[in-house]
Amino acid sequence: MASPAEDFRNTFPAPFTHVAVIGAGYVGLPMALHVANSGVRVTAVDTNETVVREINERTSKVEEKEDFEKFFGNPMVQHNLSARTTPVEADAFIVAVPTPIHQDKSPDVNAVIAATESIVPFVRPGNLVVIESTIPVHTTEKVVQPILEKSGFTVGKDILLAHCPERILPGNIMAEAVFNARIIGGVDKASTDRAVQLYSLFVKGKLLITDARTAEFVKLIENASRDVAVAFANQVALLCEYFGINVSNAIELANHHPRIQILDPGIGVGGHCIPIDPWFLVHSNPELTGLIQAARVLNDGMPAHTVNRIMAAVEGIPNARVVCLGASYKPNVKDLRESPALEVFELLKHRGVNAELYDPLIPQYACDSVMSVARGADALAILTPHDLIVTEIRYRKHQILAVMRHPKILTFNCLVL
Protein backbone atom coordinates (compact mmCIF):
# COMPACT_ATOMS: atom_id res chain seq x y z
CA MET A 1 0.00 0.00 0.00
CA ALA A 2 1.29 3.44 -0.86
CA SER A 3 2.18 5.76 1.99
CA PRO A 4 0.07 8.92 2.60
CA ALA A 5 2.91 11.02 1.25
CA GLU A 6 3.01 8.98 -1.97
CA ASP A 7 -0.78 9.19 -2.34
CA PHE A 8 -0.59 12.95 -1.90
CA ARG A 9 2.24 13.30 -4.36
CA ASN A 10 0.14 11.60 -7.02
CA THR A 11 -2.46 14.36 -6.65
CA PHE A 12 0.00 17.16 -7.55
CA PRO A 13 -1.32 19.53 -10.20
CA ALA A 14 1.28 19.45 -12.95
CA PRO A 15 2.62 21.60 -14.32
CA PHE A 16 2.64 24.74 -12.17
CA THR A 17 0.35 27.40 -13.59
CA HIS A 18 0.70 30.23 -11.05
CA VAL A 19 3.44 31.07 -8.53
CA ALA A 20 3.30 33.87 -5.95
CA VAL A 21 6.65 35.30 -4.82
CA ILE A 22 6.35 37.04 -1.46
CA GLY A 23 9.01 39.74 -1.28
CA ALA A 24 10.27 41.33 -4.52
CA GLY A 25 13.74 42.49 -3.50
CA TYR A 26 17.27 41.25 -4.24
CA VAL A 27 16.17 37.61 -4.04
CA GLY A 28 12.47 37.64 -4.85
CA LEU A 29 12.56 39.74 -8.01
CA PRO A 30 15.14 37.56 -9.83
CA MET A 31 13.10 34.50 -8.81
CA ALA A 32 9.90 36.07 -10.16
CA LEU A 33 11.56 36.98 -13.45
CA HIS A 34 13.04 33.54 -14.00
CA VAL A 35 9.81 31.70 -13.21
CA ALA A 36 7.83 34.07 -15.45
CA ASN A 37 10.38 33.53 -18.22
CA SER A 38 9.81 29.77 -17.93
CA GLY A 39 6.21 30.25 -19.00
CA VAL A 40 4.46 30.24 -15.63
CA ARG A 41 2.23 33.08 -14.45
CA VAL A 42 3.88 34.90 -11.52
CA THR A 43 2.55 37.40 -9.02
CA ALA A 44 5.27 39.32 -7.19
CA VAL A 45 3.97 40.48 -3.81
CA ASP A 46 5.61 43.29 -1.88
CA THR A 47 4.36 45.66 0.81
CA ASN A 48 6.31 48.50 -0.78
CA GLU A 49 3.93 50.21 -3.20
CA THR A 50 6.81 51.80 -5.11
CA VAL A 51 8.39 48.40 -5.76
CA VAL A 52 5.05 47.04 -6.98
CA ARG A 53 4.46 50.00 -9.28
CA GLU A 54 7.96 49.79 -10.77
CA ILE A 55 7.60 46.08 -11.49
CA ASN A 56 4.25 46.62 -13.19
CA GLU A 57 5.73 49.48 -15.20
CA ARG A 58 8.84 47.36 -15.94
CA THR A 59 11.02 50.16 -14.52
CA SER A 60 12.31 48.48 -11.37
CA LYS A 61 15.35 50.32 -10.04
CA VAL A 62 17.81 47.49 -9.59
CA GLU A 63 21.59 47.46 -9.57
CA GLU A 64 22.23 45.21 -12.56
CA LYS A 65 20.10 47.35 -14.84
CA GLU A 66 20.99 45.81 -18.19
CA ASP A 67 20.31 42.23 -17.08
CA PHE A 68 16.98 43.12 -15.51
CA GLU A 69 15.88 45.27 -18.45
CA LYS A 70 16.57 42.34 -20.76
CA PHE A 71 14.22 40.15 -18.72
CA PHE A 72 11.59 42.87 -18.33
CA GLY A 73 11.55 43.27 -22.10
CA ASN A 74 11.12 39.56 -22.76
CA PRO A 75 7.62 38.88 -24.21
CA MET A 76 7.19 35.84 -21.94
CA VAL A 77 7.91 37.94 -18.84
CA GLN A 78 5.74 40.77 -20.13
CA HIS A 79 2.85 38.34 -20.42
CA ASN A 80 3.34 36.36 -17.19
CA LEU A 81 4.59 38.81 -14.54
CA SER A 82 2.48 41.14 -12.45
CA ALA A 83 2.91 42.66 -8.99
CA ARG A 84 0.63 43.65 -6.13
CA THR A 85 0.79 44.51 -2.43
CA THR A 86 -1.31 41.58 -1.18
CA PRO A 87 -1.10 37.82 -1.84
CA VAL A 88 -3.32 35.85 -4.18
CA GLU A 89 -4.21 32.18 -4.55
CA ALA A 90 -1.50 30.24 -6.39
CA ASP A 91 -0.09 26.75 -6.89
CA ALA A 92 3.11 27.67 -5.05
CA PHE A 93 4.26 30.42 -2.72
CA ILE A 94 7.92 31.42 -2.49
CA VAL A 95 8.84 33.50 0.56
CA ALA A 96 11.90 35.68 -0.13
CA VAL A 97 11.99 38.38 2.53
CA PRO A 98 14.92 39.78 4.55
CA THR A 99 16.10 38.13 7.79
CA PRO A 100 18.37 40.62 9.58
CA ILE A 101 19.58 40.51 13.17
CA HIS A 102 18.45 42.50 16.19
CA GLN A 103 20.75 44.88 18.03
CA ASP A 104 21.74 42.03 20.36
CA LYS A 105 22.71 39.88 17.31
CA SER A 106 19.72 37.54 17.70
CA PRO A 107 17.88 36.53 14.51
CA ASP A 108 15.00 38.68 13.35
CA VAL A 109 12.54 36.42 11.51
CA ASN A 110 9.60 38.80 11.86
CA ALA A 111 9.43 39.36 8.10
CA VAL A 112 9.26 35.61 7.47
CA ILE A 113 6.50 35.29 10.08
CA ALA A 114 4.55 38.19 8.57
CA ALA A 115 4.96 36.87 5.03
CA THR A 116 3.80 33.40 6.05
CA GLU A 117 0.82 34.78 7.94
CA SER A 118 -0.12 36.86 4.90
CA ILE A 119 -0.55 33.78 2.67
CA VAL A 120 -2.54 31.67 5.16
CA PRO A 121 -5.93 32.90 3.86
CA PHE A 122 -4.90 31.98 0.31
CA VAL A 123 -3.43 28.51 0.88
CA ARG A 124 -5.38 25.64 -0.69
CA PRO A 125 -4.91 21.84 -0.70
CA GLY A 126 -2.04 20.79 -2.93
CA ASN A 127 -0.16 24.08 -2.56
CA LEU A 128 3.61 24.23 -2.10
CA VAL A 129 5.28 26.80 0.16
CA VAL A 130 9.04 27.36 -0.19
CA ILE A 131 11.10 29.54 2.15
CA GLU A 132 14.04 31.11 0.28
CA SER A 133 14.95 33.49 3.09
CA THR A 134 18.01 32.54 5.13
CA ILE A 135 16.68 31.32 8.47
CA PRO A 136 17.88 29.72 11.73
CA VAL A 137 17.80 25.94 11.98
CA HIS A 138 14.32 24.55 12.80
CA THR A 139 12.52 27.68 11.54
CA THR A 140 10.79 25.87 8.67
CA GLU A 141 9.31 23.19 10.92
CA LYS A 142 8.89 25.04 14.22
CA VAL A 143 7.90 28.53 13.05
CA VAL A 144 6.59 28.42 9.48
CA GLN A 145 4.74 25.09 9.63
CA PRO A 146 2.54 25.97 12.66
CA ILE A 147 1.59 29.27 11.04
CA LEU A 148 0.58 27.56 7.79
CA GLU A 149 -1.51 25.04 9.68
CA LYS A 150 -3.65 27.89 11.01
CA SER A 151 -5.27 27.58 7.60
CA GLY A 152 -6.86 24.36 8.82
CA PHE A 153 -4.71 22.29 6.48
CA THR A 154 -1.98 19.92 7.63
CA VAL A 155 1.54 20.21 6.23
CA GLY A 156 2.48 16.91 4.59
CA LYS A 157 -1.12 15.85 4.28
CA ASP A 158 -2.83 18.79 2.61
CA ILE A 159 -0.05 21.23 1.74
CA LEU A 160 3.69 20.95 1.15
CA LEU A 161 6.58 22.88 2.69
CA ALA A 162 10.28 23.15 1.81
CA HIS A 163 13.34 25.33 2.29
CA CYS A 164 15.57 26.32 -0.62
CA PRO A 165 18.07 28.94 0.55
CA GLU A 166 18.99 31.59 -1.99
CA ARG A 167 22.43 31.54 -3.57
CA ILE A 168 23.05 34.80 -5.40
CA LEU A 169 25.92 37.25 -5.50
CA PRO A 170 25.43 40.98 -6.12
CA GLY A 171 27.06 41.84 -9.41
CA ASN A 172 25.86 38.66 -11.13
CA ILE A 173 22.41 38.08 -9.65
CA MET A 174 20.46 36.80 -12.65
CA ALA A 175 23.08 34.26 -13.76
CA GLU A 176 23.76 33.00 -10.24
CA ALA A 177 20.07 32.34 -9.67
CA VAL A 178 20.11 29.96 -12.64
CA PHE A 179 23.52 28.32 -12.76
CA ASN A 180 24.36 27.80 -9.07
CA ALA A 181 23.60 24.46 -7.47
CA ARG A 182 20.57 24.73 -5.20
CA ILE A 183 19.85 22.91 -1.95
CA ILE A 184 16.25 21.76 -1.58
CA GLY A 185 15.01 20.36 1.70
CA GLY A 186 11.38 19.53 2.32
CA VAL A 187 9.71 18.66 5.59
CA ASP A 188 8.96 15.32 3.92
CA LYS A 189 9.74 13.56 0.64
CA ALA A 190 6.58 14.75 -1.07
CA SER A 191 7.46 18.38 -0.26
CA THR A 192 11.00 17.91 -1.54
CA ASP A 193 9.83 16.31 -4.77
CA ARG A 194 7.36 19.10 -5.48
CA ALA A 195 9.96 21.79 -4.74
CA VAL A 196 12.37 20.06 -7.14
CA GLN A 197 9.64 20.18 -9.76
CA LEU A 198 9.30 23.95 -9.21
CA TYR A 199 13.00 24.79 -9.34
CA SER A 200 13.52 22.55 -12.36
CA LEU A 201 11.56 25.16 -14.31
CA PHE A 202 14.58 27.43 -14.54
CA VAL A 203 17.61 26.23 -12.53
CA LYS A 204 20.37 24.74 -14.70
CA GLY A 205 22.70 23.98 -11.80
CA LYS A 206 22.43 20.81 -9.71
CA LEU A 207 19.43 20.41 -7.42
CA LEU A 208 20.83 18.89 -4.23
CA ILE A 209 18.28 17.01 -2.17
CA THR A 210 18.14 16.96 1.63
CA ASP A 211 15.72 17.73 4.47
CA ALA A 212 14.59 21.18 5.60
CA ARG A 213 16.73 21.27 8.74
CA THR A 214 19.91 20.38 6.85
CA ALA A 215 19.15 22.93 4.12
CA GLU A 216 18.81 25.64 6.77
CA PHE A 217 22.08 24.59 8.42
CA VAL A 218 24.10 24.31 5.20
CA LYS A 219 23.34 27.89 4.16
CA LEU A 220 24.51 29.13 7.55
CA ILE A 221 27.76 27.16 7.60
CA GLU A 222 28.58 28.27 4.06
CA ASN A 223 28.65 31.89 5.15
CA ALA A 224 30.20 31.15 8.54
CA SER A 225 33.03 29.38 6.72
CA ARG A 226 33.65 32.41 4.53
CA ASP A 227 33.54 34.66 7.60
CA VAL A 228 36.15 32.55 9.40
CA ALA A 229 38.42 32.61 6.32
CA VAL A 230 38.16 36.40 6.10
CA ALA A 231 38.81 36.71 9.83
CA PHE A 232 41.99 34.66 9.51
CA ALA A 233 43.21 36.94 6.70
CA ASN A 234 42.43 40.00 8.82
CA GLN A 235 44.25 38.50 11.79
CA VAL A 236 47.26 37.86 9.57
CA ALA A 237 47.16 41.53 8.57
CA LEU A 238 47.05 42.63 12.22
CA LEU A 239 50.02 40.40 13.04
CA CYS A 240 51.95 41.77 10.06
CA GLU A 241 51.39 45.29 11.39
CA TYR A 242 52.70 44.20 14.78
CA PHE A 243 55.81 42.51 13.38
CA GLY A 244 56.51 45.12 10.70
CA ILE A 245 55.99 42.69 7.83
CA ASN A 246 54.50 43.45 4.42
CA VAL A 247 51.17 41.61 4.52
CA SER A 248 50.83 41.37 0.74
CA ASN A 249 54.23 39.75 0.43
CA ALA A 250 53.63 37.38 3.34
CA ILE A 251 50.29 36.11 2.02
CA GLU A 252 51.59 35.79 -1.53
CA LEU A 253 54.50 33.65 -0.31
CA ALA A 254 52.29 31.49 1.93
CA ASN A 255 49.88 30.85 -0.93
CA HIS A 256 52.64 29.17 -2.92
CA HIS A 257 52.09 26.18 -0.63
CA PRO A 258 49.92 23.72 -2.61
CA ARG A 259 47.32 23.42 0.16
CA ILE A 260 47.21 27.03 1.42
CA GLN A 261 44.95 29.77 0.09
CA ILE A 262 44.81 32.73 2.45
CA LEU A 263 42.38 35.43 1.36
CA ASP A 264 43.19 39.12 1.09
CA PRO A 265 42.52 41.09 4.29
CA GLY A 266 40.25 44.13 4.30
CA ILE A 267 38.40 46.68 6.40
CA GLY A 268 35.63 44.34 7.52
CA VAL A 269 32.83 42.24 6.07
CA GLY A 270 29.64 43.49 4.43
CA GLY A 271 26.71 42.37 2.35
CA HIS A 272 23.45 40.68 3.22
CA CYS A 273 24.87 37.27 4.24
CA ILE A 274 28.29 36.97 5.87
CA PRO A 275 27.89 39.60 8.63
CA ILE A 276 24.45 38.22 9.51
CA ASP A 277 24.12 34.46 9.01
CA PRO A 278 26.85 33.25 11.41
CA TRP A 279 25.01 34.95 14.28
CA PHE A 280 22.06 32.60 13.65
CA LEU A 281 24.32 29.67 14.59
CA VAL A 282 25.78 31.50 17.57
CA HIS A 283 22.32 32.30 18.87
CA SER A 284 21.28 28.65 18.53
CA ASN A 285 24.20 27.40 20.63
CA PRO A 286 26.76 29.87 22.02
CA GLU A 287 28.78 27.07 23.66
CA LEU A 288 29.48 25.22 20.39
CA THR A 289 30.26 28.26 18.24
CA GLY A 290 33.34 29.79 19.84
CA LEU A 291 35.33 29.93 16.59
CA ILE A 292 32.40 31.46 14.70
CA GLN A 293 31.91 34.06 17.44
CA ALA A 294 35.61 34.94 17.43
CA ALA A 295 35.56 35.44 13.67
CA ARG A 296 32.49 37.67 13.87
CA VAL A 297 34.01 39.80 16.64
CA LEU A 298 37.31 40.18 14.78
CA ASN A 299 35.67 41.12 11.49
CA ASP A 300 33.24 43.49 13.20
CA GLY A 301 36.22 45.22 14.81
CA MET A 302 38.07 45.90 11.56
CA PRO A 303 36.32 49.21 10.72
CA ALA A 304 37.41 50.68 14.08
CA HIS A 305 40.97 49.43 13.48
CA THR A 306 40.89 51.01 10.01
CA VAL A 307 39.85 54.32 11.55
CA ASN A 308 42.77 54.13 13.97
CA ARG A 309 45.16 53.63 11.06
CA ILE A 310 43.71 56.61 9.20
CA MET A 311 43.88 58.79 12.33
CA ALA A 312 47.53 57.81 12.84
CA ALA A 313 48.33 58.72 9.22
CA VAL A 314 47.07 62.30 9.65
CA GLU A 315 48.16 62.81 13.25
CA GLY A 316 49.52 66.30 13.83
CA ILE A 317 47.85 67.80 10.74
CA PRO A 318 45.41 70.55 11.80
CA ASN A 319 41.86 69.95 10.54
CA ALA A 320 43.11 67.12 8.35
CA ARG A 321 40.90 66.45 5.31
CA VAL A 322 40.50 62.72 4.69
CA VAL A 323 38.89 61.55 1.47
CA CYS A 324 37.39 58.06 1.69
CA LEU A 325 37.12 56.29 -1.65
CA GLY A 326 34.49 53.59 -2.13
CA ALA A 327 31.24 53.21 -0.19
CA SER A 328 29.86 49.80 -1.15
CA TYR A 329 30.67 46.64 0.75
CA LYS A 330 32.85 45.15 -1.99
CA PRO A 331 34.52 46.27 -5.23
CA ASN A 332 32.58 46.96 -8.42
CA VAL A 333 29.06 46.70 -7.00
CA LYS A 334 26.62 49.34 -5.77
CA ASP A 335 25.41 47.35 -2.76
CA LEU A 336 25.63 49.35 0.49
CA ARG A 337 24.13 46.73 2.81
CA GLU A 338 26.23 46.29 5.97
CA SER A 339 29.09 48.12 4.25
CA PRO A 340 32.19 48.45 6.45
CA ALA A 341 33.25 51.43 4.30
CA LEU A 342 30.18 53.34 5.45
CA GLU A 343 30.98 52.40 9.05
CA VAL A 344 34.55 53.66 8.69
CA PHE A 345 33.28 56.95 7.28
CA GLU A 346 30.75 57.42 10.09
CA LEU A 347 33.33 56.55 12.76
CA LEU A 348 35.75 59.11 11.31
CA LYS A 349 33.10 61.83 11.47
CA HIS A 350 32.13 60.76 14.99
CA ARG A 351 35.74 61.22 16.03
CA GLY A 352 35.81 64.73 14.61
CA VAL A 353 37.72 64.06 11.41
CA ASN A 354 37.02 66.26 8.38
CA ALA A 355 36.08 63.24 6.27
CA GLU A 356 34.44 63.05 2.85
CA LEU A 357 33.12 59.99 1.03
CA TYR A 358 33.19 59.44 -2.73
CA ASP A 359 32.14 56.47 -4.84
CA PRO A 360 31.90 56.66 -8.66
CA LEU A 361 29.27 53.87 -8.76
CA ILE A 362 26.76 55.34 -6.30
CA PRO A 363 24.91 58.54 -7.25
CA GLN A 364 24.73 60.06 -3.76
CA TYR A 365 28.51 59.70 -3.37
CA ALA A 366 29.56 60.18 -7.01
CA CYS A 367 32.47 62.32 -8.14
CA ASP A 368 33.98 63.31 -11.47
CA SER A 369 37.30 61.66 -10.72
CA VAL A 370 39.73 60.81 -7.96
CA MET A 371 41.80 63.77 -9.12
CA SER A 372 38.91 66.15 -8.53
CA VAL A 373 38.35 65.08 -4.91
CA ALA A 374 42.04 64.73 -4.08
CA ARG A 375 42.77 68.46 -4.41
CA GLY A 376 43.82 69.80 -1.03
CA ALA A 377 43.33 66.46 0.72
CA ASP A 378 45.68 65.24 3.44
CA ALA A 379 44.98 61.56 2.85
CA LEU A 380 43.17 59.34 0.38
CA ALA A 381 41.85 56.19 2.04
CA ILE A 382 40.86 53.49 -0.46
CA LEU A 383 38.13 51.67 1.47
CA THR A 384 36.51 49.85 -1.45
CA PRO A 385 38.94 49.36 -4.34
CA HIS A 386 36.60 49.69 -7.34
CA ASP A 387 38.40 49.19 -10.65
CA LEU A 388 37.53 52.78 -11.63
CA ILE A 389 39.26 54.11 -8.53
CA VAL A 390 42.32 51.86 -8.66
CA THR A 391 42.90 52.31 -12.39
CA GLU A 392 42.82 56.10 -12.19
CA ILE A 393 45.20 56.19 -9.24
CA ARG A 394 47.64 53.83 -10.95
CA TYR A 395 47.71 55.86 -14.16
CA ARG A 396 47.63 59.32 -12.53
CA LYS A 397 49.32 58.64 -9.22
CA HIS A 398 51.98 61.35 -9.52
CA GLN A 399 49.44 64.00 -10.61
CA ILE A 400 47.05 63.03 -7.82
CA LEU A 401 49.76 63.19 -5.17
CA ALA A 402 50.86 66.56 -6.53
CA VAL A 403 47.44 68.19 -5.95
CA MET A 404 47.14 66.92 -2.38
CA ARG A 405 48.12 69.04 0.61
CA HIS A 406 49.83 66.01 2.14
CA PRO A 407 50.52 63.19 -0.36
CA LYS A 408 49.24 60.11 1.46
CA ILE A 409 47.36 57.24 -0.19
CA LEU A 410 46.23 54.57 2.27
CA THR A 411 45.26 51.02 1.29
CA PHE A 412 43.85 48.34 3.57
CA ASN A 413 44.28 45.06 1.73
CA CYS A 414 46.85 43.53 -0.60
CA LEU A 415 46.27 46.20 -3.23
CA VAL A 416 49.48 47.35 -4.91
CA LEU A 417 49.39 50.79 -6.56
Side-chain angles (χ1 to χ4, degrees), residues 33-273:
L33 288 168
H34 281 302
V35 176
N37 190 49
S38 75
V40 176
R41 185 160 64 97
V42 177
T43 300
V45 181
D46 202 285
T47 57
N48 188 320
E49 293 182 359
T50 300
V51 169
V52 168
R53 186 186 70 252
E54 289 175 349
I55 292 174
N56 286 328
E57 294 174 350
R58 308 302 192 243
T59 59
S60 182
K61 295 178 176 61
V62 290
E63 178 184 337
E64 296 164 39
K65 186 176 180 181
E66 290 184 6
D67 285 343
F68 279 84
E69 285 182 346
K70 178 181 176 182
F71 272 83
F72 277 133
N74 186 300
M76 190 74 77
V77 173
Q78 290 277 0
H79 177 72
N80 288 321
L81 178 64
S82 64
R84 53 184 288 155
T85 56
T86 56
V88 294
E89 291 186 15
D91 301 326
F93 299 86
I94 300 171
V95 175
V97 294
T99 48
I101 52 177
H102 293 292
Q103 193 68 33
D104 65 356
K105 308 297 186 183
S106 62
D108 181 355
V109 295
N110 286 326
V112 171
I113 292 172
T116 306
E117 289 176 339
S118 76
I119 66 174
V120 168
F122 303 93
V123 170
R124 298 293 179 264
N127 283 172
L128 167 70
V129 177
V130 179
I131 307 299
E132 277 235 359
S133 306
T134 304
I135 47 180
V137 178
H138 293 303
T139 301
T140 303
E141 295 167 291
K142 293 187 178 182
V143 177
V144 175
Q145 181 171 334
I147 294 173
L148 289 176
E149 290 183 339
K150 292 179 182 178
S151 64
F153 302 122
T154 301
V155 170
K157 178 182 177 184
D158 305 306
I159 56 178
L160 302 173
L161 174 62
H163 179 50
C164 180
E166 58 87 4
R167 274 183 170 172
I168 59 173
L169 186 70
N172 197 29
I173 292 175
M174 297 305 289
E176 295 237 342
V178 170
F179 295 104
N180 280 346
R182 301 300 298 271
I183 301 168
I184 298 177
V187 297
D188 57 17
K189 186 178 186 301
S191 297
T192 303
D193 290 346
R194 185 62 166 159
V196 167
Q197 186 180 357
L198 175 60
Y199 282 81
S200 295
L201 290 172
F202 69 93
V203 174
K204 300 185 185 303
K206 291 182 179 180
L207 299 179
L208 307 173
I209 306 307
T210 185
D211 56 81
R213 187 185 312 172
T214 303
E216 293 165 337
F217 181 69
V218 169
K219 175 59 188 288
L220 300 181
I221 63 171
E222 287 172 357
N223 286 319
S225 172
R226 295 163 68 196
D227 197 36
V228 170
V230 172
F232 181 77
N234 285 333
Q235 190 147 83
V236 167
L238 295 175
L239 288 168
C240 283
E241 286 182 39
Y242 175 77
F243 289 119
I245 294 171
N246 182 292
V247 63
S248 176
N249 187 44
I251 290 177
E252 193 272 333
L253 291 171
N255 284 345
H256 278 283
H257 189 289
R259 288 172 295 280
I260 300 297
Q261 188 59 52
I262 302 172
L263 302 178
D264 287 347
I267 65 169
V269 176
H272 68 298
C273 288

Side-chain angles (χ1 to χ4, degrees), residues 15-29:
F16 289 94
T17 60
H18 186 194
V19 173
V21 178
I22 315 300
Y26 278 86
V27 176
L29 181 55

